[in-house]
Amino acid sequence: EPEVTQTPSHQVTQMGQEVILRCVPISNHLYFYWYRQILGQKVEFLVSFYNNEISEKSEIFDDQFSVERPDGSNFTLKIRSTKLEDSAMYFCASRSQDRASTNEKLFFGSGTQLSVL
Amino acid sequence: LAKTTQPISMDSYEGQEVNITCSHNNIATNDYITWYQQFPSQGPRFIIQGYKTKVTNEVASLFIPADRKSSTLSLPRVSLSDTAVYYCLVGRLIPRDDKIIFGKGTRLHILP
């Protein structure tokens, strides 16, 4: 089965530093997502991305966050100035279907564990 | 977005059938129901999706009554490896809702 790939699997950074989390979605997918999960808590929606622009974002996704699809294969999440509370597992997901489809199946990567010290 | 309510946790034994019910009283006509499974330190994994009546795949069945205000995920003959968190999601069918929200899920623990 095709996979969403995330790198690195673990990232440790100092508070105030910038981090970039990288994802390679499944190749024919059109919709891309970032989620995060703080240890022991639920999976939280951050942002969705389609046609080179953000389609939805949550209140968590403030000016410190940005997403980019710099080429035809990568999808990145940048946190400009990390805070202690940004420590979490960050999941990338992708989906293939167009807006008229009834198939909502998201494929998730295995995540990047971000630790902010 | 339709709010969903699931039990926080459930225990069952190997070989048993497990049914997890999700309430979604304010589900809209254009909403569909999707279930995901999450193992520790992994991303959620799609299990099954439906709109009404019954859907079955190689992993599970999904039962949706006529009023669609609830749904039940049925896992036949569970094993220890089915220990995971199970999420019920309700989302708009057309046009697709790109803000796909996960609730707190049900933590299923399978005992030997």
Side-chain angles (χ1 to χ4, degrees):
Chain A
E1 187 175 68
E3 288 185 342
V4 174
T5 305
Q6 290 188 243
T7 55
S9 56
H10 293 84
Q11 173 109 33
V12 180
T13 190
Q14 297 289 326
M15 191 170 58
Q17 295 296 302
E18 174 183 287
V19 294
I20 298 176
L21 310 182
R22 302 181 191 280
C23 170
V24 179
I26 294 170
S27 62
N28 63 345
H29 283 191
L30 304 176
Y31 295 84
F32 313 111
Y33 306 81
W34 282 101
Y35 287 81
R36 78 173 187 189
Q37 187 172 33
I38 295 169
L39 186 63
Q41 297 187 26
K42 66 179 184 179
V43 177
E44 297 179 292
F45 172 83
L46 293 179
V47 66
S48 57
F49 190 87
Y50 169 72
N51 200 26
N52 283 322
E53 61 182 25
I54 290 172
S55 49
E56 298 276 1
K57 62 181 180 178
S58 71
E59 54 278 2
I60 302 169
F61 194 88
D62 60 21
D63 292 344
Q64 292 300 310
F65 291 87
S66 62
V67 289
E68 193 179 31
R69 187 153 164 83
D71 53 42
S73 60
N74 292 285
F75 180 51
T76 61
L77 175 69
K78 181 193 290 186
I79 310 174
R80 288 190 183 82
S81 178
T82 51
K83 302 189 280 284
L84 296 176
E85 53 266 35
D86 293 327
S87 293
M89 179 76 91
Y90 287 79
F91 293 110
C92 173
S94 69
R95 178 173 68 84
S96 66
Q97 301 299 327
D98 61 37
R99 286 181 181 271
S101 171
T102 61
N103 185 346
E104 178 250 66
K105 185 174 180 179
L106 292 180
F107 291 80
F108 282 81
S110 53
T112 294
Q113 179 64 55
L114 176 66
S115 298
V116 182
L117 305 178
Chain B
L1 293 172
K3 180 174 159 46
T4 59
T5 304
Q6 305 174 234
I8 294 171
S9 64
M10 291 178 66
D11 290 340
S12 188
Y13 292 93
E14 278 193 293
Q16 298 294 305
E17 177 184 83
V18 170
N19 295 309
I20 306 174
T21 296
C22 178
S23 296
H24 27 79
N25 289 320
N26 60 341
I27 190 169
T29 303
N30 280 358
D31 287 343
Y32 57 92
I33 300 147
T34 311
W35 287 79
Y36 284 82
Q37 174 192 56
Q38 187 183 26
F39 297 116
S41 300
Q42 294 187 27
R45 185 174 73 103
F46 173 93
I47 302 175
I48 198 165
Q49 183 179 91
Y51 183 76
K52 61 181 178 181
T53 62
K54 177 184 173 183
V55 180
T56 297
N57 62 22
E58 64 279 3
V59 176
S61 294
L62 178 59
F63 298 92
I64 305 168
D67 67 6
R68 304 202 323 124
K69 291 183 185 297
S70 67
S71 58
T72 299
L73 175 73
S74 181
L75 304 173
R77 297 185 58 80
V78 293
S79 64
L80 295 177
S81 61
D82 291 315
T83 294
V85 180
Y86 291 82
Y87 297 95
C88 163
L89 283 68
V90 173
R92 190 175 63 225
L93 196 68
I94 296 172
R96 270 286 297 114
D97 184 355
D98 272 342
K99 195 171 183 178
I100 302 168
I101 303 295
F102 284 75
K104 294 182 181 178
T106 297
R107 193 170 296 274
L108 176 65
H109 187 205
I110 304 302
L111 303 164

